[in-house]
Amino acid sequence: MAATVQQAKNWRRHIHRNPELQFAEHETAEFIAQRLQSFGLSPSRGLAETGIAAVIEGDGRPGPSIALRAEMDALPIEEKSNLPYRSRNPGVMHACGHDGHMAMLLAAASLLAARRNFPGRVVVIFQAAEEFGGGAKRMIDEGLLTEFPFDRVFSLHNMPGEAPGSLMTRTGPIMAAATSWDLVIEGKGAHAGWPHLGIDSISVAAEFIQGCNAIIARRADPISGATISPTRISGGNSHNTLPEEIRIGGTLRTLDNTLTGFIIARMHDLAAGLARSHGCGVKFTPHPGYPVTVNDAVSVAQAMQAANALVGASNSSDRVEPKLGTEDFAYMLRERPGAYVFIGAGDIPPLHSNRYDFNDDILETGIGFLTELVRASTTE
Protein backbone atom coordinates (compact mmCIF):
# COMPACT_ATOMS: atom_id res chain seq x y z
CA MET A 1 0.00 0.00 0.00
CA ALA A 2 2.87 2.38 0.77
CA ALA A 3 4.07 2.27 -2.83
CA THR A 4 0.53 2.93 -4.09
CA VAL A 5 0.14 5.92 -1.76
CA GLN A 6 3.47 7.38 -2.89
CA GLN A 7 2.43 6.93 -6.50
CA ALA A 8 -0.90 8.64 -5.77
CA LYS A 9 1.00 11.52 -4.18
CA ASN A 10 3.13 11.91 -7.29
CA TRP A 11 0.05 11.79 -9.51
CA ARG A 12 -1.74 14.33 -7.35
CA ARG A 13 1.09 16.82 -7.52
CA HIS A 14 1.45 16.39 -11.27
CA ILE A 15 -2.25 17.11 -11.71
CA HIS A 16 -2.04 20.07 -9.32
CA ARG A 17 0.78 21.54 -11.39
CA ASN A 18 -1.29 21.24 -14.58
CA PRO A 19 -4.84 22.41 -13.81
CA GLU A 20 -7.48 22.86 -16.51
CA LEU A 21 -10.92 24.45 -16.53
CA GLN A 22 -14.27 22.82 -17.28
CA PHE A 23 -14.61 20.93 -20.58
CA ALA A 24 -10.96 21.74 -21.35
CA GLU A 25 -9.35 19.04 -19.19
CA HIS A 26 -7.58 17.54 -22.20
CA GLU A 27 -4.12 17.00 -20.69
CA THR A 28 -5.72 15.77 -17.47
CA ALA A 29 -7.86 13.30 -19.42
CA GLU A 30 -4.83 12.04 -21.34
CA PHE A 31 -2.91 11.56 -18.10
CA ILE A 32 -5.77 9.62 -16.53
CA ALA A 33 -6.40 7.50 -19.61
CA GLN A 34 -2.74 6.51 -19.79
CA ARG A 35 -2.73 5.47 -16.14
CA LEU A 36 -5.93 3.41 -16.58
CA GLN A 37 -4.46 1.70 -19.62
CA SER A 38 -1.36 0.82 -17.61
CA PHE A 39 -3.67 -1.00 -15.17
CA GLY A 40 -4.94 -3.16 -18.04
CA LEU A 41 -8.20 -1.23 -18.43
CA SER A 42 -9.84 0.18 -21.55
CA PRO A 43 -10.93 3.74 -20.76
CA SER A 44 -13.62 5.34 -22.86
CA ARG A 45 -13.17 9.01 -23.67
CA GLY A 46 -15.31 11.82 -25.03
CA LEU A 47 -18.39 12.00 -22.82
CA ALA A 48 -18.87 15.70 -22.03
CA GLU A 49 -15.78 16.49 -24.14
CA THR A 50 -13.17 15.23 -21.69
CA GLY A 51 -14.91 12.79 -19.34
CA ILE A 52 -13.52 9.29 -18.89
CA ALA A 53 -15.08 6.02 -17.75
CA ALA A 54 -13.67 2.53 -17.45
CA VAL A 55 -14.95 -0.83 -16.26
CA ILE A 56 -13.12 -3.10 -13.82
CA GLU A 57 -14.57 -6.58 -13.99
CA GLY A 58 -14.58 -8.58 -10.77
CA ASP A 59 -13.80 -12.24 -10.18
CA GLY A 60 -16.66 -13.59 -12.30
CA ARG A 61 -19.20 -13.98 -9.54
CA PRO A 62 -22.52 -12.26 -10.26
CA GLY A 63 -22.96 -9.00 -8.40
CA PRO A 64 -23.90 -5.36 -8.68
CA SER A 65 -22.23 -2.69 -10.73
CA ILE A 66 -20.77 -0.02 -8.43
CA ALA A 67 -19.63 3.35 -9.75
CA LEU A 68 -16.95 5.51 -8.16
CA ARG A 69 -16.70 9.10 -9.35
CA ALA A 70 -14.10 11.88 -9.15
CA GLU A 71 -14.09 15.37 -10.66
CA MET A 72 -11.44 16.64 -13.08
CA ASP A 73 -11.79 20.41 -13.42
CA ALA A 74 -9.92 23.21 -11.69
CA LEU A 75 -11.04 26.75 -10.81
CA PRO A 76 -10.33 30.17 -12.38
CA ILE A 77 -8.20 31.27 -9.42
CA GLU A 78 -4.63 32.56 -9.37
CA GLU A 79 -2.68 30.35 -6.97
CA LYS A 80 -0.86 32.22 -4.19
CA SER A 81 1.62 29.71 -2.87
CA ASN A 82 5.29 28.84 -3.10
CA LEU A 83 4.74 25.12 -3.51
CA PRO A 84 7.25 23.38 -5.78
CA TYR A 85 4.28 21.93 -7.67
CA ARG A 86 2.20 25.13 -7.76
CA SER A 87 0.04 25.72 -10.83
CA ARG A 88 1.97 26.53 -13.97
CA ASN A 89 -1.21 27.75 -15.72
CA PRO A 90 -1.84 31.43 -14.91
CA GLY A 91 -5.23 32.13 -13.39
CA VAL A 92 -6.11 28.44 -12.95
CA MET A 93 -5.61 26.20 -9.91
CA HIS A 94 -6.92 23.11 -8.18
CA ALA A 95 -8.44 24.93 -5.23
CA CYS A 96 -11.10 22.35 -4.35
CA GLY A 97 -9.11 19.13 -4.11
CA HIS A 98 -10.15 17.56 -7.39
CA ASP A 99 -6.49 16.74 -7.94
CA GLY A 100 -6.55 14.65 -4.77
CA HIS A 101 -9.88 13.05 -5.63
CA MET A 102 -8.53 11.94 -9.01
CA ALA A 103 -5.34 10.59 -7.45
CA MET A 104 -7.31 8.57 -4.88
CA LEU A 105 -9.62 7.11 -7.51
CA LEU A 106 -6.72 6.27 -9.82
CA ALA A 107 -4.93 4.49 -6.98
CA ALA A 108 -8.10 2.64 -5.97
CA ALA A 109 -8.60 1.61 -9.62
CA SER A 110 -5.05 0.26 -9.76
CA LEU A 111 -5.65 -1.89 -6.68
CA LEU A 112 -9.08 -3.10 -7.80
CA ALA A 113 -7.75 -3.96 -11.26
CA ALA A 114 -4.85 -5.90 -9.76
CA ARG A 115 -6.90 -7.83 -7.21
CA ARG A 116 -10.28 -8.42 -8.93
CA ASN A 117 -11.47 -9.90 -5.61
CA PHE A 118 -15.08 -8.76 -5.79
CA PRO A 119 -18.28 -9.91 -7.53
CA GLY A 120 -19.93 -7.84 -10.23
CA ARG A 121 -17.96 -4.93 -11.57
CA VAL A 122 -16.79 -1.42 -10.78
CA VAL A 123 -17.18 1.60 -13.06
CA VAL A 124 -14.68 4.39 -12.44
CA ILE A 125 -15.84 7.79 -13.66
CA PHE A 126 -13.60 10.81 -14.07
CA GLN A 127 -16.09 13.58 -14.61
CA ALA A 128 -15.57 16.80 -16.51
CA ALA A 129 -16.78 20.23 -15.40
CA GLU A 130 -18.12 19.85 -11.88
CA GLU A 131 -17.57 23.43 -10.75
CA PHE A 132 -19.57 25.36 -13.34
CA GLY A 133 -20.50 23.27 -16.35
CA GLY A 134 -22.78 20.57 -14.98
CA GLY A 135 -20.53 17.90 -16.43
CA ALA A 136 -22.35 15.11 -14.60
CA LYS A 137 -25.62 15.95 -16.34
CA ARG A 138 -23.92 16.24 -19.69
CA MET A 139 -22.19 12.87 -19.29
CA ILE A 140 -25.57 11.34 -18.43
CA ASP A 141 -27.27 13.08 -21.37
CA GLU A 142 -24.58 11.78 -23.71
CA GLY A 143 -25.06 8.15 -22.66
CA LEU A 144 -23.04 7.43 -19.51
CA LEU A 145 -25.75 5.21 -18.02
CA THR A 146 -26.26 3.36 -21.28
CA GLU A 147 -22.62 2.75 -22.07
CA PHE A 148 -21.58 2.14 -18.46
CA PRO A 149 -24.67 1.02 -16.54
CA PHE A 150 -24.33 0.95 -12.78
CA ASP A 151 -26.63 0.19 -9.86
CA ARG A 152 -25.16 2.51 -7.27
CA VAL A 153 -22.72 5.44 -7.30
CA PHE A 154 -20.40 7.02 -4.72
CA SER A 155 -18.20 10.11 -4.59
CA LEU A 156 -15.65 11.25 -2.01
CA HIS A 157 -14.84 14.92 -1.31
CA ASN A 158 -12.27 16.38 1.07
CA MET A 159 -13.45 18.78 3.79
CA PRO A 160 -10.98 21.21 5.42
CA GLY A 161 -11.55 21.85 9.10
CA GLU A 162 -12.58 18.26 9.86
CA ALA A 163 -10.26 15.73 11.52
CA PRO A 164 -7.85 14.41 8.87
CA GLY A 165 -8.97 11.03 7.55
CA SER A 166 -12.35 11.09 9.26
CA LEU A 167 -15.27 9.95 7.08
CA MET A 168 -18.67 11.62 7.24
CA THR A 169 -21.97 11.38 5.40
CA ARG A 170 -25.72 11.44 6.01
CA THR A 171 -28.98 10.10 4.60
CA GLY A 172 -31.04 12.62 2.67
CA PRO A 173 -29.93 16.09 1.55
CA ILE A 174 -26.20 16.64 2.03
CA MET A 175 -25.49 19.49 -0.41
CA ALA A 176 -27.76 22.33 -1.48
CA ALA A 177 -29.52 23.37 -4.64
CA ALA A 178 -28.30 26.67 -6.05
CA THR A 179 -30.09 29.28 -8.13
CA SER A 180 -28.21 32.40 -9.12
CA TRP A 181 -30.31 35.47 -9.87
CA ASP A 182 -30.10 38.97 -11.30
CA LEU A 183 -32.27 42.02 -10.71
CA VAL A 184 -32.28 45.15 -12.85
CA ILE A 185 -34.03 48.25 -11.47
CA GLU A 186 -34.84 51.03 -13.93
CA GLY A 187 -35.57 54.17 -11.94
CA LYS A 188 -35.51 57.80 -12.96
CA GLY A 189 -32.36 59.83 -12.59
CA ALA A 190 -32.50 63.14 -10.75
CA HIS A 191 -30.41 65.64 -8.81
CA ALA A 192 -29.75 64.38 -5.29
CA GLY A 193 -31.05 67.73 -3.94
CA TRP A 194 -34.42 67.14 -5.63
CA PRO A 195 -35.01 63.42 -5.16
CA HIS A 196 -38.79 63.86 -5.50
CA LEU A 197 -38.30 64.55 -9.20
CA GLY A 198 -36.78 61.10 -9.77
CA ILE A 199 -37.35 57.47 -8.83
CA ASP A 200 -34.63 56.33 -6.46
CA SER A 201 -33.44 52.96 -7.74
CA ILE A 202 -31.04 52.63 -4.78
CA SER A 203 -33.95 52.76 -2.33
CA VAL A 204 -35.78 50.13 -4.37
CA ALA A 205 -32.67 47.93 -4.29
CA ALA A 206 -32.50 48.26 -0.50
CA GLU A 207 -36.16 47.28 -0.19
CA PHE A 208 -35.58 44.25 -2.40
CA ILE A 209 -32.68 43.06 -0.25
CA GLN A 210 -34.67 43.54 2.94
CA GLY A 211 -37.63 41.81 1.34
CA CYS A 212 -35.45 38.80 0.51
CA ASN A 213 -34.41 38.62 4.15
CA ALA A 214 -38.09 38.64 5.11
CA ILE A 215 -38.86 35.80 2.69
CA ILE A 216 -36.29 33.61 4.44
CA ALA A 217 -37.25 34.74 7.94
CA ARG A 218 -41.04 34.71 7.58
CA ARG A 219 -42.10 32.73 4.50
CA ALA A 220 -39.74 29.73 4.69
CA ASP A 221 -39.68 27.13 7.45
CA PRO A 222 -36.94 28.26 9.89
CA ILE A 223 -35.40 24.77 9.90
CA SER A 224 -35.63 24.26 6.14
CA GLY A 225 -32.05 25.30 5.35
CA ALA A 226 -32.41 28.18 2.91
CA THR A 227 -30.52 31.40 2.38
CA ILE A 228 -30.62 34.27 -0.12
CA SER A 229 -27.33 36.09 -0.53
CA PRO A 230 -26.99 39.24 -2.63
CA THR A 231 -23.36 39.12 -3.71
CA ARG A 232 -22.92 42.09 -6.02
CA ILE A 233 -24.54 45.46 -6.66
CA SER A 234 -23.63 48.19 -9.12
CA GLY A 235 -24.94 51.53 -10.33
CA GLY A 236 -24.33 55.23 -10.19
CA ASN A 237 -21.20 57.27 -10.83
CA SER A 238 -21.79 60.57 -9.05
CA HIS A 239 -22.19 61.78 -5.47
CA ASN A 240 -25.00 64.18 -6.33
CA THR A 241 -27.13 62.23 -8.80
CA LEU A 242 -29.72 59.50 -8.28
CA PRO A 243 -28.70 56.71 -10.69
CA GLU A 244 -31.10 55.65 -13.39
CA GLU A 245 -30.23 51.94 -13.08
CA ILE A 246 -29.14 49.58 -10.33
CA ARG A 247 -28.12 45.96 -10.88
CA ILE A 248 -28.05 43.34 -8.14
CA GLY A 249 -26.97 39.71 -8.35
CA GLY A 250 -26.81 36.87 -5.90
CA THR A 251 -27.56 33.29 -5.07
CA LEU A 252 -30.32 31.27 -3.44
CA ARG A 253 -29.39 28.05 -1.64
CA THR A 254 -31.88 25.50 -0.32
CA LEU A 255 -31.96 21.87 0.81
CA ASP A 256 -35.31 21.22 -0.86
CA ASN A 257 -35.97 21.55 -4.59
CA THR A 258 -39.66 22.35 -3.98
CA LEU A 259 -38.68 25.11 -1.56
CA THR A 260 -36.43 26.57 -4.26
CA GLY A 261 -39.43 27.01 -6.53
CA PHE A 262 -41.49 28.57 -3.74
CA ILE A 263 -38.82 31.11 -2.84
CA ILE A 264 -38.15 32.06 -6.45
CA ALA A 265 -41.87 32.70 -6.89
CA ARG A 266 -41.86 34.96 -3.81
CA MET A 267 -38.83 36.85 -5.17
CA HIS A 268 -40.72 37.39 -8.43
CA ASP A 269 -43.71 38.70 -6.41
CA LEU A 270 -41.44 41.01 -4.42
CA ALA A 271 -39.89 42.47 -7.58
CA ALA A 272 -43.29 42.99 -9.21
CA GLY A 273 -44.65 44.65 -6.07
CA LEU A 274 -41.74 47.07 -5.89
CA ALA A 275 -42.24 47.98 -9.55
CA ARG A 276 -45.90 48.81 -8.92
CA SER A 277 -45.34 50.72 -5.67
CA HIS A 278 -42.47 52.83 -6.99
CA GLY A 279 -43.53 53.18 -10.59
CA CYS A 280 -40.24 51.88 -11.92
CA GLY A 281 -39.05 49.00 -14.06
CA VAL A 282 -37.90 45.91 -12.17
CA LYS A 283 -36.72 42.77 -13.96
CA PHE A 284 -35.96 39.68 -11.90
CA THR A 285 -34.20 36.79 -13.66
CA PRO A 286 -33.38 33.49 -11.92
CA HIS A 287 -30.75 31.13 -13.35
CA PRO A 288 -31.39 27.57 -12.11
CA GLY A 289 -28.27 25.70 -11.05
CA TYR A 290 -27.57 22.31 -9.55
CA PRO A 291 -30.35 20.49 -7.65
CA VAL A 292 -30.10 19.18 -4.10
CA THR A 293 -27.60 16.32 -3.59
CA VAL A 294 -29.59 13.56 -1.87
CA ASN A 295 -28.06 10.37 -0.44
CA ASP A 296 -30.12 7.22 -0.09
CA ALA A 297 -30.20 5.20 3.13
CA VAL A 298 -28.87 1.90 1.76
CA SER A 299 -25.85 3.55 0.16
CA VAL A 300 -25.11 5.51 3.34
CA ALA A 301 -25.23 2.26 5.32
CA GLN A 302 -22.74 0.69 2.91
CA ALA A 303 -20.48 3.73 3.11
CA MET A 304 -20.58 3.60 6.91
CA GLN A 305 -19.78 -0.12 6.89
CA ALA A 306 -16.69 0.65 4.83
CA ALA A 307 -15.78 3.67 6.98
CA ASN A 308 -16.13 1.80 10.26
CA ALA A 309 -14.03 -1.09 8.95
CA LEU A 310 -11.31 1.31 7.85
CA VAL A 311 -11.13 4.07 10.48
CA GLY A 312 -13.45 2.88 13.24
CA ALA A 313 -16.72 4.25 14.56
CA SER A 314 -14.97 7.03 16.51
CA ASN A 315 -13.63 8.52 13.26
CA SER A 316 -16.76 8.18 11.13
CA SER A 317 -20.27 9.58 11.25
CA ASP A 318 -23.55 9.26 9.38
CA ARG A 319 -24.91 12.43 11.04
CA VAL A 320 -22.87 15.16 9.35
CA GLU A 321 -24.71 18.45 8.94
CA PRO A 322 -25.73 19.25 5.35
CA LYS A 323 -23.73 21.94 3.58
CA LEU A 324 -25.09 24.83 1.53
CA GLY A 325 -22.43 24.39 -1.10
CA THR A 326 -23.52 22.66 -4.31
CA GLU A 327 -22.47 19.56 -6.23
CA ASP A 328 -23.39 18.38 -9.68
CA PHE A 329 -23.06 14.82 -8.35
CA ALA A 330 -26.73 15.55 -7.58
CA TYR A 331 -27.54 14.70 -11.20
CA MET A 332 -26.07 11.20 -10.82
CA LEU A 333 -28.01 10.69 -7.59
CA ARG A 334 -31.22 11.65 -9.38
CA GLU A 335 -30.63 8.73 -11.75
CA ARG A 336 -29.23 6.10 -9.39
CA PRO A 337 -29.04 5.61 -5.61
CA GLY A 338 -25.74 6.46 -4.02
CA ALA A 339 -23.90 8.55 -1.46
CA TYR A 340 -21.68 11.60 -1.33
CA VAL A 341 -19.10 11.26 1.45
CA PHE A 342 -16.74 13.77 3.08
CA ILE A 343 -13.19 12.93 4.13
CA GLY A 344 -11.71 15.27 6.72
CA ALA A 345 -8.71 17.22 5.42
CA GLY A 346 -7.47 18.74 8.68
CA ASP A 347 -6.33 22.28 9.41
CA ILE A 348 -5.70 23.60 5.91
CA PRO A 349 -6.97 26.66 3.98
CA PRO A 350 -10.64 26.44 2.97
CA LEU A 351 -11.94 25.18 -0.33
CA HIS A 352 -11.65 27.71 -3.18
CA SER A 353 -8.93 29.62 -1.34
CA ASN A 354 -6.01 30.78 -3.47
CA ARG A 355 -3.72 29.14 -0.89
CA TYR A 356 -5.55 25.83 -0.70
CA ASP A 357 -3.58 22.63 -1.20
CA PHE A 358 -4.96 19.10 -0.88
CA ASN A 359 -3.66 17.32 2.21
CA ASP A 360 -1.62 14.37 0.94
CA ASP A 361 -1.73 12.79 4.39
CA ILE A 362 -5.33 11.68 3.74
CA LEU A 363 -4.59 9.93 0.45
CA GLU A 364 -4.12 6.54 2.08
CA THR A 365 -7.43 6.73 3.93
CA GLY A 366 -9.26 7.86 0.81
CA ILE A 367 -7.79 5.06 -1.29
CA GLY A 368 -8.58 2.51 1.39
CA PHE A 369 -12.13 3.78 1.74
CA LEU A 370 -12.87 3.53 -1.99
CA THR A 371 -11.58 -0.03 -2.20
CA GLU A 372 -13.34 -1.07 1.01
CA LEU A 373 -16.51 0.57 -0.29
CA VAL A 374 -16.52 -1.84 -3.23
CA ARG A 375 -16.41 -4.78 -0.82
CA ALA A 376 -19.16 -3.33 1.37
CA SER A 377 -21.36 -2.55 -1.64
CA THR A 378 -21.02 -5.99 -3.22
CA THR A 379 -21.54 -8.09 -0.08
CA GLU A 380 -25.11 -9.26 0.39
Side-chain angles (χ1 to χ4, degrees):
M1 185 64 162
T4 299
V5 173
Q6 182 58 50
Q7 193 171 49
K9 181 177 176 179
N10 295 339
W11 292 337
R12 203 282 293 183
R13 295 187 174 192
H14 170 85
I15 295 170
H16 186 93
R17 188 182 295 115
N18 298 278
E20 296 172 296
L21 296 177
Q22 68 274 9
F23 300 123
E25 309 97 328
H26 299 289
E27 290 186 14
T28 305
E30 180 64 26
F31 180 83
I32 290 169
Q34 288 180 5
R35 303 288 88 67
L36 294 174
Q37 288 169 347
S38 75
F39 309 154
L41 304 178
S42 300
S44 174
R45 303 173 61 171
L47 290 175
E49 299 289 341
T50 52
I52 294 178
V55 175
I56 308 172
E57 298 290 351
D59 56 15
R61 290 176 292 160
S65 180
I66 303 301
L68 304 175
R69 169 266 198 180
E71 325 91 311
M72 298 167 61
D73 55 325
L75 283 155
I77 296 173
E78 184 72 30
E79 184 167 2
K80 300 293 184 182
S81 78
N82 295 315
L83 297 169
Y85 50 87
R86 71 186 304 276
S87 171
R88 69 178 186 181
N89 296 334
V92 184
M93 74 170 287
H94 274 294
C96 200
H98 296 181
D99 49 348
H101 304 163
M102 285 183 274
M104 290 189 293
L105 184 53
L106 275 175
S110 73
L111 295 174
L112 292 168
R115 296 169 181 170
R116 312 271 180 165
N117 58 348
F118 54 90
R121 65 180 195 162
V122 172
V123 179
V124 291
I125 302 168
F126 293 85
Q127 182 212 301
E130 185 278 325
E131 293 288 355
F132 302 113
K137 184 177 186 302
R138 185 166 168 186
M139 288 185 77
I140 292 167
D141 291 345
E142 293 181 7
L144 175 67
L145 299 178
T146 302
E147 294 185 39
F148 300 91
F150 51 83
D151 304 305
R152 205 169 290 278
V153 61
F154 298 88
S155 189
L156 186 62
H157 200 294
N158 80 105
M159 185 55 63
E162 300 290 346
S166 58
L167 294 162
M168 301 152 284
T169 189
R170 63 177 282 114
T171 299
I174 188 167
M175 297 289 278
T179 301
S180 60
W181 52 266
D182 288 291
L183 186 81
V184 180
I185 303 167
E186 293 288 349
K188 181 180 179 182
H191 192 290
W194 293 275
H196 59 292
L197 300 179
I199 298 174
D200 186 359
S201 54
I202 290 180
S203 294
V204 178
E207 287 188 44
F208 181 81
I209 292 170
Q210 291 301 314
C212 287
N213 291 336
I215 291 171
I216 296 300
R218 289 296 177 263
R219 301 300 302 277
D221 186 332
I223 62 172
S224 62
T227 184
I228 301 173
S229 296
T231 54
R232 58 184 178 83
I233 184 168
S234 62
N237 54 21
S238 171
H239 287 86
N240 65 350
T241 303
L242 300 184
E244 187 97 356
E245 180 182 281
I246 292 290
R247 293 177 174 266
I248 311 174
T251 181
L252 164 67
R253 304 295 175 106
T254 79
L255 293 170
D256 183 301
N257 292 319
T258 301
L259 180 60
T260 296
F262 173 82
I263 293 176
I264 289 295
R266 301 294 74 75
M267 294 174 77
H268 271 295
D269 293 344
L270 174 61
L274 290 171
R276 287 193 300 271
S277 63
H278 290 276
C280 61
V282 180
K283 182 182 180 181
F284 174 73
T285 307
H287 311 285
Y290 300 161
V292 181
T293 303
V294 183
N295 290 345
D296 90 291
V298 172
S299 300
V300 166
Q302 292 173 344
M304 289 305 300
Q305 180 182 339
N308 290 339
L310 186 68
V311 301
S314 62
N315 292 307
S316 59
S317 172
D318 60 357
R319 294 288 187 273
V320 69
E321 292 295 321
K323 313 298 182 185
L324 290 184
T326 63
E327 241 297 343
D328 81 339
F329 188 59
Y331 293 115
M332 292 193 183
L333 294 182
R334 289 201 309 192
E335 301 295 328
R336 297 290 185 272
Y340 188 71
V341 181
F342 296 122
I343 180 170
D347 184 18
I348 63 173
L351 301 176
H352 293 209
S353 163
N354 58 12
R355 298 187 182 280
Y356 171 88
D357 183 40
F358 184 88
N359 183 357
D360 288 333
D361 290 342
I362 68 173
L363 285 170
E364 182 171 2
T365 300
I367 297 164
F369 174 71
L370 292 173
T371 55
E372 183 65 23
L373 186 55
V374 171
R375 188 196 63 78
S377 302
T378 55
T379 302
E380 298 296 335

